[in-house]
Amino acid sequence: MNKVVKFGGSSLASAEQFKKVGAIIRADDERKFVVPSAPGKRSSDDTKVTDMLYACYELAEQGKDFTEQLQAIKDRYQEIIDGLELKLSLDKEFKGIEKNFKEKAGSDYAASRGEYLNGIIMAKYLGYEFVDAATVIRFKPDGEHDAELTNQLLRERLSGVKAAVIPGFYGAYEDGRVKTFSRGGSDITGSIVARAIKANVYENWTDVSGVLVADPRIIYKPEGVETITYRELRELAYMGFSVLHEDAIFPVRSEGIPINIRNTNAPDDNGTWIVESTCQKSKYVITGIAGKKGFCAVNIEKEMMNSEIGFGRKVLQAFEENEISFEHVPSGIDTMTVFVHQDEFMHKEQKVVSGIHRLADPDSIDIEADLALIAVVGRGMKSTRGTAGRIFSALAHANVNVKMIDQGSSELNIIIGVANADFETAIKAIYDIFVISQI
Ligand code: ASP
């Protein structure tokens, strides 16, 4: 059985980090397929190589001189090569890159060189085979990733290969033109490779010891999560949790391969397991809390609304006509509220209001801005009584006014709407009641 190991940019930012990665890979014989990101930041004020490449290519595209910028990128790789004492020259590669930049090969091509070059170094350092992602990760003409063709190409290419490095983040169209995933896309490549080789685990190595119960910018040193299901993670990711690229779940999910988030700087930590299903209870009733600010509530009132067939559809049509997606629609007997993203809605609000009047003929419409949504997620909620009660008494004690409550039928999460100004207080209150008071 083999493992796919993906290393993020901060894990590969310098020769010193590369050495830690080398030690991790050599510590386990099953770590045979490696997916590297481009070198990330060495310190908080540093620049990621991917961003350097985008900036450099922008100059090339404008027909300006980019020699200095390209040299700075080359220097970053040379520092790694020298630090690892490798006999490797990237001169030829950089000549080719310079030529392609001048010929305006595209910003996707430019950005992909970060992973490509790091992959070459990694392969040399480990003595593994280098497999250019452009030859195995395929995109359709409309820019969508071609999952099935990729799986077939990868399986063919990797059959009989004992150990390989496949750079993350990019692939190519059939004609060979390079295309990248969205930012953070090396996570997706790792998942795709794990699916293709039917790995027993997809290890995703980063700079934190896994998923945390809450945002560390709000909660001081929050607890870690040992095991989380794909569905829980998706709920939390949607609300702003950013451990993994959200599309990275799908390829492994279809094969039931677990993802293990690990910390390159603390390799002995178990990290977090992301699994399809588990009988392991989470340590607390809740698995995580996440949220986002910047929502608007559009309150629509109409007497006898409950008995008017088609009212909801007509209201939502006004949003659809203006291409605004809605988040939640809690309703009462004579009222219906539509939660939308404030920045999407703001410049279209009067069009939407007149649309609702035209289509649904309500008595009144009232808009409330500056709201936040908080998702309290946990597979344990289904079998635990009183979770909602505990959340709301904690919020009441913290003087937080709850504007909206929504519990999906899956009983996997409870969504709470509060004023933006109460956002942090609310998260702290919920964390305290479920985590701090349980420790
Ligand atoms: N290097 C790319 C980025 O900075 C992709 C990745 O790291 O996953 O977004």
Side-chain angles (χ1 to χ4, degrees):
M1 277 305 225
N2 284 316
K3 291 175 180 165
V4 169
V5 284
K6 179 258 167 182
F7 290 89
S10 58
S11 301
L12 299 168
S14 61
E16 200 189 321
Q17 288 298 91
F18 256 78
K19 285 180 188 164
K20 288 186 197 169
V21 166
I24 289 168
I25 294 171
R26 290 183 192 113
D28 184 339
D29 279 353
E30 294 186 340
R31 293 183 177 133
K32 287 285 181 259
F33 293 88
V34 182
V35 175
S37 276
K41 294 181 178 191
R42 290 160 294 186
S43 59
S44 56
D45 54 3
D46 200 11
T47 310
K48 287 174 160 201
V49 164
T50 308
D51 291 315
M52 294 169 85
L53 284 160
Y54 277 124
C56 180
Y57 183 71
E58 215 176 295
L59 293 174
E61 189 143 60
Q62 291 163 3
K64 293 185 183 153
D65 179 44
F66 57 87
T67 327
E68 215 177 284
Q69 284 71 12
L70 196 62
Q71 186 59 44
I73 295 165
K74 196 171 175 202
D75 290 347
R76 288 228 29 197
Y77 285 105
Q78 198 56 50
E79 208 182 292
I80 296 172
I81 293 172
D82 293 345
L84 297 175
E85 295 173 45
L86 295 178
K87 275 204 185 68
L88 174 70
S89 164
L90 294 178
D91 284 352
K92 239 175 84 199
E93 296 292 347
F94 271 93
K95 284 243 153 56
I97 292 171
E98 188 182 348
K99 179 173 165 282
N100 291 333
F101 272 32
K102 282 184 180 149
E103 288 168 4
K104 308 207 167 104
S107 64
D108 276 21
Y109 164 79
S112 75
R113 296 306 87 187
E115 275 58 19
Y116 172 79
L117 295 167
N118 232 18
I120 293 178
I121 298 177
M122 178 66 90
K124 177 88 184 171
Y125 180 51
L126 296 171
Y128 284 13
E129 189 172 330
F130 175 76
V131 175
D132 185 356
T135 62
V136 280
I137 308 272
R138 190 57 65 78
F139 287 88
K140 295 178 188 165
D142 64 1
E144 206 192 310
H145 170 236
D146 192 335
E148 292 321 308
L149 183 54
T150 296
N151 198 41
Q152 193 189 320
L153 291 171
L154 257 174
R155 288 188 68 78
E156 281 165 17
R157 177 65 181 84
L158 295 180
S159 79
V161 172
K162 291 225 159 33
V165 174
I166 305 113
F169 191 38
Y170 72 95
Y173 295 105
E174 205 185 342
D175 63 9
R177 266 178 314 127
V178 168
K179 160 113 183 89
T180 62
F181 291 109
S182 56
R183 294 299 301 264
S186 298
D187 285 341
I188 309 175
T189 311
S191 184
I192 290 170
V193 177
R195 175 187 172 200
I197 67 149
K198 296 194 189 294
N200 56 353
V201 48
Y202 167 26
E203 289 182 346
N204 189 293
W205 291 81
T206 174
D207 52 7
V208 288
S209 291
V211 179
L212 301 170
V213 174
D215 188 338
R217 288 167 299 185
I218 300 174
I219 303 292
Y220 178 68
K221 289 201 174 166
E223 289 275 306
V225 176
E226 278 166 25
T227 311
I228 187 169
T229 63
Y230 295 136
R231 288 178 63 207
E232 286 176 308
L233 189 69
R234 269 189 62 68
E235 298 280 354
L236 290 166
Y238 186 69
M239 276 298 188
F241 252 50
S242 60
V243 237
L244 198 69
H245 192 295
E246 34 170 352
D247 295 339
I249 286 177
F250 301 110
V252 281
R253 190 178 182 164
S254 67
E255 293 288 331
I257 300 167
I259 306 173
N260 188 198
I261 309 276
R262 301 286 290 266
N263 189 349
T264 301
N265 304 316
D268 293 333
D269 289 356
N270 291 332
T272 299
W273 285 90
I274 305 170
V275 298
E276 183 172 11
S277 184
T278 176
C279 59
Q280 286 197 36
K281 295 215 165 54
S282 36
K283 211 156 144 202
Y284 313 103
V285 175
I286 60 161
T287 305
I289 316 162
K292 273 190 199 163
K293 290 182 180 179
F295 291 92
C296 247
V298 184
N299 301 310
I300 302 122
E301 242 188 274
K302 185 172 189 180
E303 226 167 282
M304 305 294 285
M305 170 199 292
N306 61 327
S307 55
E308 186 180 326
I309 291 171
F311 185 82
R313 178 185 50 76
K314 291 175 206 157
V315 167
L316 293 179
Q317 191 179 332
F319 289 87
E320 188 183 346
E321 283 178 0
N322 286 288
E323 291 179 0
I324 293 171
S325 63
F326 64 89
E327 290 295 311
H328 293 278
V329 189
S331 64
I333 301 174
D334 294 330
T335 62
M336 172 172 167
T337 302
V338 184
F339 271 80
V340 288
H341 287 273
Q342 196 156 322
D343 54 355
E344 254 179 53
F345 177 69
M346 233 157 50
H347 56 283
K348 292 181 181 165
E349 63 169 23
Q350 294 313 318
K351 276 194 194 155
V352 176
V353 169
S354 61
I356 299 173
H357 275 289
R358 172 172 45 84
L359 294 158
D361 191 28
D363 297 337
S364 67
I365 298 175
D366 167 61
I367 299 173
E368 199 176 349
D370 302 326
L371 299 174
L373 290 175
I374 298 170
V376 184
V377 176
R379 59 188 183 278
M381 284 200 241
K382 215 171 176 167
S383 53
T384 318
R385 273 173 295 133
T387 310
R390 286 169 76 191
I391 294 175
F392 298 116
S393 72
L395 292 175
H397 277 108
N399 263 329
V400 172
N401 183 22
V402 175
K403 306 254 177 200
M404 195 265 308
I405 305 164
D406 194 352
Q407 178 175 27
S409 54
S410 63
E411 283 189 66
L412 191 68
N413 64 358
I414 296 178
I415 312 274
I416 303 146
V418 299
N420 274 349
D422 286 335
F423 181 66
E424 284 83 5
T425 315
I427 290 190
K428 281 188 190 134
I430 299 169
Y431 185 81
D432 279 359
I433 196 76
F434 286 104
V435 181
I436 303 279
S437 63
Q438 306 297 308
I439 296 175

